[in-house]
Amino acid sequence: MATADDHRTYSIRQLCREFGATARALRFYEDKGLLTPARKGQTRVYDARDRARLKLILRGRRIGFSLLEIQEMLDLYDHDNHNAHQMAVALRRHRAQIEALKQQREDLDAAIETAEEACAVMERKLGEHRPDLLPGADEYATLLKSRLNPDHHVQPFKARA
Amino acid sequence: MATADDHRTYSIRQLCREFGATARALRFYEDKGLLTPARKGQTRVYDARDRARLKLILRGRRIGFSLLEIQEMLDLYDHDNHNAHQMAVALRRHRAQIEALKQQREDLDAAIETAEEACAVMERKLGEHRPDLLPGADEYATLLKSRLNPDHHVQPFKARA
DNA sequence: GCCGATCTTGACGTGCACGTAAAGGGAAGG
DNA sequence: CCTTCCCTTTACGTGCACGTCAAGATCGGC
């Protein structure tokens, strides 16, 4: 694994810009024990591990978890549980967590499906009565413009195995 | 479409028990305009539509949406936009919403994947050093016991934040 | 009629996740 | 030297989603 990039450090502003968070949020996470950046003088210095943790924190927030829940998940991760009993406990907690995540994914899939059905209905109705209002005119224009753009590249449309 | 079931009504307690919510929450949703149950005297009477909306509300909450966001989504649904222009607007909003949902699903999938990898690592380590701590012994015992239990049914999963 | 249970409407409290000044340190630049 | 800018801590404020009393209204059963 790359040793060069692992030694890179980041200022609080850099991480904020990179992930679209606020400095207040990062300090708050630190206050709650989710981040523990080093200090140069009294200024915070974040390393690769802090960055990775922040990434997980923000992902957890987007999914809708509380900071406490995220805290526990992070603890389970980097504790790298050396105590076998604790690891066994962590394993069960993790499995339960996965079940919750999968339940949530079902909710999400259901929401996506109903939303797409609603879209289909609306498009059909619009197509019948007011096809001029269908996204296609300006939509297609912007699409063409983006294709003409030299540094154009499509979103990977990630399909999960 | 069942006409009989569509005329069923529900008390606030019935819906609470069915969905594992509190009466306070339902009244709160009503206060915010997400539910508009009828009144018999001064008692709330929920019909099938209210029930469906509540279902969507709770699903949205589990996914992590705010009541305002849910409000907007519900409005898009049952407005059954007769105005073509509004419908066109709603369609765009809906498409954007779907994109957000899909982004969130990617977050979720990533979280599930990393969690499962962590589980795999822990199971391998436990299997090497302390295979006795692996879930299987008592886990299987409780599983059998629960299957022997006549009124066996799974917990609806907490939902309490 | 009375009791208890269940419903109602306020009104205030709470936990979370920050936002927002206020007040100051430290280094860079003119 | 002063200003500017970014960093810091401390402390109070905020919006959301309810929880938690408090004080009635209503309704069935005894």
Side-chain angles (χ1 to χ4, degrees):
Chain A
M1 329 305 182
T3 55
D5 276 8
D6 287 350
H7 288 56
R8 256 207 70 182
T9 62
Y10 309 83
S11 76
I12 193 170
R13 287 292 165 193
Q14 281 176 337
L15 287 187
C16 286
R17 273 190 292 269
E18 179 172 1
F19 294 113
T22 67
R24 177 68 178 100
L26 297 211
R27 299 197 189 99
F28 187 73
Y29 299 153
E30 181 179 350
D31 208 51
K32 295 296 177 180
L34 281 86
L35 288 176
T36 51
R39 296 294 176 112
K40 192 176 79 180
Q42 78 173 351
T43 299
R44 272 163 259 253
V45 177
Y46 298 83
D47 63 1
R49 176 175 168 277
D50 295 318
R51 200 189 92 117
R53 287 177 71 94
L54 176 58
K55 205 170 178 177
L56 288 177
I57 292 170
L58 295 177
R59 193 172 72 186
R61 292 293 296 128
R62 284 194 302 268
I63 297 178
F65 288 107
S66 74
L67 291 186
L68 254 91
E69 293 170 316
I70 295 172
Q71 163 98 296
E72 294 172 359
M73 294 196 256
L74 288 177
D75 286 356
L76 291 191
Y77 273 119
D78 65 6
H79 242 3
D80 252 345
N81 280 293
H82 294 309
N83 179 317
H85 286 279
Q86 282 189 4
M87 188 155 76
V89 173
L91 179 57
R92 287 175 220 279
R93 305 254 293 150
H94 237 85
R95 287 244 172 269
Q97 187 64 56
I98 289 175
E99 283 313 303
L101 288 172
K102 286 186 175 174
Q103 168 58 45
Q104 195 171 343
R105 197 174 94 150
E106 284 187 21
D107 284 332
L108 246 173
D109 285 340
I112 290 176
E113 191 172 340
T114 54
E116 277 178 340
E117 283 172 6
C119 275
V121 169
M122 294 166 79
E123 279 179 342
R124 189 175 50 75
K125 284 191 182 178
L126 270 182
E128 287 174 4
H129 305 323
R130 297 292 305 273
D132 57 313
L133 291 180
L134 273 179
D138 49 348
E139 206 84 349
Y140 197 65
T142 57
L143 179 67
L144 283 182
K145 261 176 62 178
S146 73
R147 286 212 188 284
L148 290 180
N149 196 334
D151 45 30
H152 155 269
H153 58 289
V154 203
Q155 292 273 50
F157 227 79
K158 253 177 48 168
R160 285 254 160 242
Chain B
M1 328 292 194
T3 54
D5 275 9
D6 286 349
H7 288 57
R8 257 208 68 181
T9 62
Y10 308 83
S11 78
I12 193 170
R13 287 291 165 193
Q14 282 177 337
L15 287 186
C16 285
R17 272 191 292 270
E18 179 173 0
F19 294 113
T22 66
R24 177 69 178 97
L26 297 211
R27 298 196 190 100
F28 187 73
Y29 298 153
E30 181 179 349
D31 208 50
K32 295 295 176 179
L34 283 93
L35 288 177
T36 50
R39 297 295 178 112
K40 193 178 78 182
Q42 80 173 348
T43 300
R44 272 163 258 253
V45 178
Y46 298 84
D47 62 2
R49 176 174 168 278
D50 295 317
R51 201 189 92 117
R53 287 177 71 94
L54 176 58
K55 205 170 179 177
L56 289 177
I57 292 170
L58 296 177
R59 193 172 71 186
R61 293 290 299 130
R62 285 195 302 269
I63 296 179
F65 288 107
S66 73
L67 292 187
L68 255 90
E69 293 170 315
I70 295 172
Q71 163 96 296
E72 294 172 358
M73 295 195 253
L74 288 178
D75 285 356
L76 291 191
Y77 272 120
D78 64 6
H79 243 15
D80 251 345
N81 281 291
H82 293 309
N83 180 318
H85 286 280
Q86 281 188 3
M87 188 155 76
V89 173
L91 179 56
R92 285 174 221 280
R93 305 254 293 148
H94 237 83
R95 287 244 172 267
Q97 186 65 54
I98 289 175
E99 283 313 301
L101 288 172
K102 285 186 175 176
Q103 169 58 46
Q104 196 171 344
R105 189 169 63 179
E106 286 189 17
D107 284 331
L108 246 174
D109 285 341
I112 290 175
E113 192 172 338
T114 54
E116 276 178 341
E117 283 171 6
C119 276
V121 170
M122 295 168 78
E123 281 180 341
R124 191 173 50 75
K125 285 190 181 179
L126 270 183
E128 287 175 3
H129 305 324
R130 298 292 305 273
D132 57 313
L133 291 179
L134 274 180
D138 50 347
E139 206 82 351
Y140 198 63
T142 56
L143 180 66
L144 284 182
K145 259 176 62 179
S146 73
R147 286 212 189 285
L148 289 179
N149 195 333
D151 43 29
H152 156 270
H153 58 289
V154 202
Q155 288 272 55
F157 236 63
K158 57 163 186 178
R160 264 285 141 307

